[in-house]
Amino acid sequence: MLVHLSQTIGAHTAGLSGAADLLGFALTRALRLPLALPYAVRTFLLAWLTNAALKLAPAMGGPRLSVDENERDARGSFGTGRANARRRCASSAPAALEASAPRIYVDLTDVLCHAIWHDTCAGIPRVQLEIATRLFSMNPAVCLFGLHRKKWCELGALLKEADGDIDKAFALLKETFSDFKFSREGVRRLITRRRRRLPIPHHASMPDVKAQDSLFIGGAFWLNKGIADLCERTAANSANLIVLFHDLIPLSMPAFTGHDFSRQYREALRLPAHFVVTTELNRSELKRARREIDQSPARTCSSVVPLADEFPGSERNERAGLASPRLAILEGRDFVLCVGTIEIRKNHHALLGVWNELAEERGAALPKLVVAGRRGWKAEATLMQLEALAQGGPVVFIEAPTDDELRWLYASCLFTAFPSFFEGWGLPVGESFWFGKPCAASNSKSIAPVARDLCVSFSPHHREDMKEALQRLLNPSTRRLFQRRIEAAPLRRWSEVATDIETLIAERRPVSDPLTARAEVSPLESSAA
């Protein structure tokens, strides 16, 4: 039975779903097992059968699918895996880095964890992948890593395989690090992972970031004790520690977060790091937060690096391609787009209420409002409202859109709406510009750096103001006016963001004074209302 199964897997080079179906069938029929086995038993037996079949496949003429070094602990120093991966992946690969050469370590633990739990990459994890991908392609001294189950995993080969495709990089992270599940998709991922044989060295100990090296942290490292310990050791070694804070919301607006992260945030702000923020507002909030932690006149060293307008993998003003099956209902129809996780801070509730009012006034002449995003936190009432309006009403809900779907939505919409109360940056506003589409955006101070004078602005606290802004952009002549402004405006690419970060790493800019006070303090008041 295993021989037959191995031959079949070898024949299914492209048809992985067929192999998955066959595995499930073979398990129940060939071993004469009842279908109602407990889940744990079925999972164990299917995993065993799959591994056995994969090992037999080469002997029966199929491709080599065996377990490789990517599932074993690596020997040698952290970072040497990149040279090995490059030798496997490219004929023009550079020689292995000298042990004494300065290295740039880039942490992707936050992205790795996000990939395990989510199917699409958005928000801060996307920003991290964009920056890491470009740093990795620009500088051979870059070593990408993530902490998973107490193992420090080198991720360079994975991003090399993705070849600049952020969606593919995210999918590879999910495929490589997700637990096996007893399902067609679970078996497909297992077979594909073995087929790729990506060399992903695992290390029991954390990277040894020496004094001449740099460590760049771009995600929520303060939630992971292992990464927090690495930051402290890096600082103790007098290495170059650079930390990107996307926002100070857990301190400045804790009501908008799903959990109370204020203690972890304050601990992170104590580090002697060079802090990177995306706006001058975030820099002032950062300095204010550190003053609240330690009343002494400690020095805070920071740099502002604006994020990009570019939508990954798309040319500026790219036209819409083919719509996915679930977007087919929008083909040939006018619609307005709102992109963002459905959470209390994004203010969807007000937008939906205003759009419903417009539908009552304008009837069938009003375009659909398409809300595209994942389900978030503290938004139960909004989700109920959204689902009600999507039942034959003026709203369409596209949950957890892929990059290809977002690309089509941006390219096909009349304009976009962004009603958020507060942002670290506001990626959907710039992405709207990238496709040449005007945006009705909140006039929050936190969004102003990306909105510039290219938006019709409104107060997120006043529905009439929001309604007036939307009505302005429903007018074709007003849209054309803003489209001409957008066409004439310089827009920022992700390669520019990566270059700015690489520059400040190379310059080894001064680090902030460490803070010693650990006393709990009251949350900062918002300065962005």
Side-chain angles (χ1 to χ4, degrees):
M1 184 270 291
L2 283 179
V3 169
H4 172 68
L5 185 57
S6 301
Q7 292 171 327
T8 306
I9 290 176
H12 278 80
T13 302
L16 293 180
S17 62
D21 290 337
L22 181 59
L23 284 169
F25 177 78
L27 175 63
T28 54
R29 294 296 300 272
L31 299 182
R32 303 179 184 276
L33 296 173
L35 293 174
L37 280 174
Y39 176 83
V41 175
R42 285 185 290 142
T43 300
F44 171 79
L45 289 173
L46 181 55
W48 175 85
L49 180 62
T50 303
N51 276 315
L54 292 175
K55 289 176 180 177
L56 280 173
M60 304 309 301
R64 180 176 175 83
L65 302 171
S66 62
V67 177
D68 206 283
E69 66 269 20
N70 61 314
E71 294 199 353
R72 297 174 185 164
D73 284 354
R75 297 180 181 180
S77 62
F78 202 104
T80 55
R82 171 161 190 170
N84 296 333
R86 281 181 172 266
R87 282 196 294 271
R88 287 187 179 93
C89 299
S91 59
S92 60
L97 295 170
E98 294 293 334
S100 59
R103 289 178 178 166
I104 301 172
Y105 294 91
V106 179
D107 171 47
L108 289 177
T109 302
D110 191 30
V111 183
L112 191 158
C113 293
H114 191 83
I116 291 172
W117 291 102
H118 300 283
D119 293 325
T120 55
C121 186
I124 290 176
R126 167 169 292 288
V127 172
Q128 293 180 77
L129 265 184
E130 289 285 358
I131 294 172
T133 296
R134 281 158 177 77
L135 284 175
F136 184 73
S137 65
M138 292 159 49
N139 193 329
V142 170
C143 175
L144 308 174
F145 71 91
L147 178 59
H148 179 62
R149 292 182 173 171
K150 299 182 180 181
K151 295 289 186 181
W152 301 82
C153 310
E154 296 188 47
L155 304 177
L158 191 148
L159 261 71
K160 182 74 176 178
E161 176 77 8
D163 193 26
D165 186 329
I166 300 303
D167 262 2
K168 185 176 180 180
F170 190 78
L172 287 172
L173 282 169
K174 188 173 190 70
E175 173 189 293
T176 304
F177 292 99
S178 294
D179 288 338
F180 174 77
K181 294 183 179 179
F182 187 86
S183 65
R184 175 183 296 184
E185 180 63 18
V187 174
R188 186 197 67 79
R189 284 182 182 148
L190 178 64
I191 296 174
T192 305
R193 181 170 67 200
R194 302 297 165 81
R195 194 183 301 271
R196 290 188 198 278
R197 299 177 59 220
L198 290 177
I200 303 177
H202 294 52
H203 301 267
S205 57
M206 66 177 61
D208 182 17
V209 186
K210 297 181 171 62
Q212 72 268 24
D213 299 333
S214 298
L215 171 63
F216 176 71
I217 306 285
F221 73 98
W222 30 270
L223 289 176
N224 189 303
K225 187 178 184 306
I227 303 301
D229 290 345
L230 174 61
C231 288
E232 292 192 359
R233 179 178 294 186
T234 298
N237 290 345
S238 299
N240 190 22
L241 176 60
I242 304 100
V243 176
L244 171 58
F245 273 94
H246 297 265
D247 57 65
L248 276 294
I249 291 174
L251 296 182
S252 63
M253 295 183 171
F256 284 152
T257 61
H259 303 279
D260 182 6
F261 298 126
S262 56
R263 182 183 61 81
Q264 294 94 328
Y265 235 66
R266 292 188 185 100
E267 287 298 302
L269 289 172
R270 295 176 54 252
L271 288 168
H274 186 87
F275 297 106
V276 179
V277 291
T278 56
T279 66
E280 288 291 347
L281 177 64
N282 286 334
R283 172 141 71 177
S284 64
E285 288 287 297
L286 174 75
K287 292 179 178 179
R288 187 179 177 190
R290 279 174 53 90
R291 286 196 303 269
E292 290 286 340
I293 296 171
D294 189 342
Q295 299 300 322
S296 66
R299 180 181 62 169
T300 297
C301 298
S302 61
S303 297
V304 175
V305 177
L307 299 184
D309 304 298
E310 179 185 13
F311 188 88
S314 297
E315 294 300 319
R316 188 169 173 177
N317 300 318
E318 185 173 310
R319 294 182 177 273
L322 295 175
S324 69
R326 67 170 174 168
L327 299 183
I329 59 170
L330 296 171
E331 284 191 294
R333 301 184 64 175
D334 290 339
F335 64 90
V336 175
L337 177 64
C338 177
V339 175
T341 301
I342 317 302
E343 56 168 290
I344 184 173
R345 176 171 55 88
K346 301 290 187 178
N347 201 21
H348 288 87
H349 190 74
L351 176 63
L352 292 171
V354 168
W355 203 260
N356 195 40
E357 288 179 16
L358 289 170
E360 292 173 355
E361 296 171 6
R362 298 190 174 214
L366 182 71
K368 291 281 189 181
L369 173 65
V370 176
V371 177
R374 292 199 314 270
R375 295 171 186 261
W377 48 91
K378 296 185 177 181
E380 291 78 10
T382 300
L383 286 167
M384 289 178 61
Q385 180 189 25
L386 177 58
E387 290 168 354
L389 291 174
Q391 298 298 319
V395 176
V396 175
F397 181 31
I398 304 298
E399 186 173 354
T402 65
D403 261 16
D404 286 340
E405 288 177 327
L406 279 177
R407 185 178 293 111
W408 189 91
L409 289 169
Y410 276 124
S412 304
C413 70
L414 295 176
F415 64 92
T416 64
F418 196 69
S420 177
F421 288 117
F422 192 88
E423 292 291 320
W425 177 252
L427 287 174
V429 178
E431 291 172 348
S432 181
F433 301 155
W434 192 254
F435 287 90
K437 300 305 171 75
C439 180
S442 161
N443 64 6
S444 166
K445 293 179 184 178
S446 62
I447 300 173
V450 62
R452 291 156 280 187
D453 63 345
L454 306 178
C455 288
V456 177
S457 298
F458 60 85
S459 167
H461 304 281
H462 298 98
R463 293 194 179 195
E464 284 303 315
D465 199 17
M466 185 188 300
K467 185 176 180 180
E468 182 181 347
L470 293 169
Q471 287 175 320
R472 285 185 64 190
L473 283 181
L474 285 168
N475 184 326
S477 61
T478 304
R479 288 202 303 275
R480 285 193 293 270
L481 172 65
F482 278 91
Q483 284 168 349
R484 286 194 291 271
R485 285 190 192 176
I486 294 167
E487 288 171 2
L491 300 182
R492 187 165 161 87
R493 293 180 176 271
W494 283 108
S495 58
E496 297 174 70
V497 179
T499 298
D500 287 349
I501 290 177
E502 184 183 37
T503 298
L504 68 88
I505 290 173
E507 291 175 354
R508 296 184 72 94
R509 297 182 183 178
V511 298
S512 307
D513 293 336
L515 304 183
T516 56
R518 294 173 177 264
E520 291 295 319
V521 296
S522 60
L524 297 172
E525 294 180 10
S526 169
S527 62

